[in-house]
Amino acid sequence: MVLDKNTAKKTAELLLQINAIKLKPENPFTWASGWNSPIYCDNRILLSYPLIRNYIRDEMAKQVEQLYGKPDCIVGVATGAIGIGALVADKLNLPFVYVRPQPKSHGRQNQIEGHLEANQSVVVIEDLISTGKSSLNAVDALRDQKANVKGMLAIFTYGFQTALDNFKDKNTELHTLSSYEYLIEQASETGYVKDDQLKTLMEWRKDPSKWTNK
Ligand SMILES: O=P(O)(O)OC[C@H]1O[C@H](OP(=O)(O)OP(=O)(O)O)[C@H](O)[C@@H]1O
Ligand SMILES: O=C(O)c1cc(=O)[nH]c(=O)[nH]1
């Protein structure tokens, strides 16, 4: 759920401005879920732009406080949300840990990196939600370590029903700064996407798990 419309529009505008949104219908991207997609939103790029990453950091920190007050710790989902998660934790003057997709196969074999105690309250920061599986895998790891997961805040979501169902199944609250809906609105208004690309995106959005460019 998007909390603030202005933030949602502004975030979409900034992502478009730094070319974080890539369109490649002729040679589709493969997503973490294995789905093929004509679109890819690379939020990692925003770390390279100090003013933009500060805006995202400040909006995320504000929304974390608004929604959850001060949790004991901020968590980033590896690797995409390690950078922004650490910035949000720093802004809120809170401890930070990150969660790997699986435990390391060598060294200390940690899945959660950093210091986290049982029963501590945490808010998870994620860069992007498609199916939600990567983020919810991190939530599982945190709960296995007896963390009290208050909720998750991501920069962007595609808003798929699958993701809503997955978050519901895991009883996890999700908020996002922006979403596909705002992105498409902004991209159409600014002429970032051409009519034929918009047509492809609308076709893809009807059944993204089955979409192919054929
Ligand atoms: O909602 P999902 O279907 O799980 O997809 C979204 C995930 O995919 C991306 O991570 P990726 O696996 O590409 O790795 P990275 O974070 O290391 O870049 C992104 O950062 C999310 O974590
Ligand atoms: O689902 C994914 O893997 C994914 C989609 C997307 O648009 N951006 C991203 O970083 N990952």
Side-chain angles (χ1 to χ4, degrees), residues 16 59 69 74 97 121 124-125 138 141-142 155 164 175 197-198 208:
L16 289 167
E59 288 304 309
I74 297 293
V97 302
S121 60
V124 182
I125 299 292
L142 289 161
I155 298 170
L164 295 176
H175 290 87
Q197 293 174 318
L198 208 52

Side-chain angles (χ1 to χ4, degrees), residues 56-57 60-61 64 74 84-93 125:
I56 299 290
R57 173 200 67 190
M60 291 190 107
V64 166
I74 297 293
I84 189 65
L87 291 170
V88 171
D90 191 55
K91 177 84 187 174
L92 293 171
N93 200 22
I125 299 292

Side-chain angles (χ1 to χ4, degrees), residues 3 5 7 25 29 52-54 78 87 107 116 125 147 149 158 176 181 184:
L3 269 192
K5 277 188 175 186
T7 306
F29 299 98
I52 293 174
R53 76 172 182 232
N54 288 350
L87 291 170
L116 185 68
I125 299 292
V149 179
Y158 284 97
T176 61
E181 200 188 329
I184 290 301

Side-chain angles (χ1 to χ4, degrees), residues 30-33 39-44 127-128 130-131 156 158:
T30 304
W31 280 3
S33 52
I39 181 171
Y40 194 80
C41 174
D42 192 353
N43 291 338
R44 301 156 195 89
D127 64 324
L128 179 132
S130 300
T131 64
F156 181 86
Y158 284 97

Side-chain angles (χ1 to χ4, degrees), residues 9 24 42 45 90 109 117 139 187 190 208:
K9 279 202 92 171
K24 223 168 46 136
D42 192 353
I45 292 176
D90 191 55
Q109 304 184 334
E117 288 174 25
V139 169
T190 54

Side-chain angles (χ1 to χ4, degrees), residues 146-166:
K146 312 242 176 317
N148 171 10
V149 179
K150 294 291 199 190
M152 188 180 306
L153 179 63
I155 298 170
F156 181 86
T157 181
Y158 284 97
F160 299 138
Q161 187 59 45
T162 314
L164 295 176
D165 294 344
N166 288 339

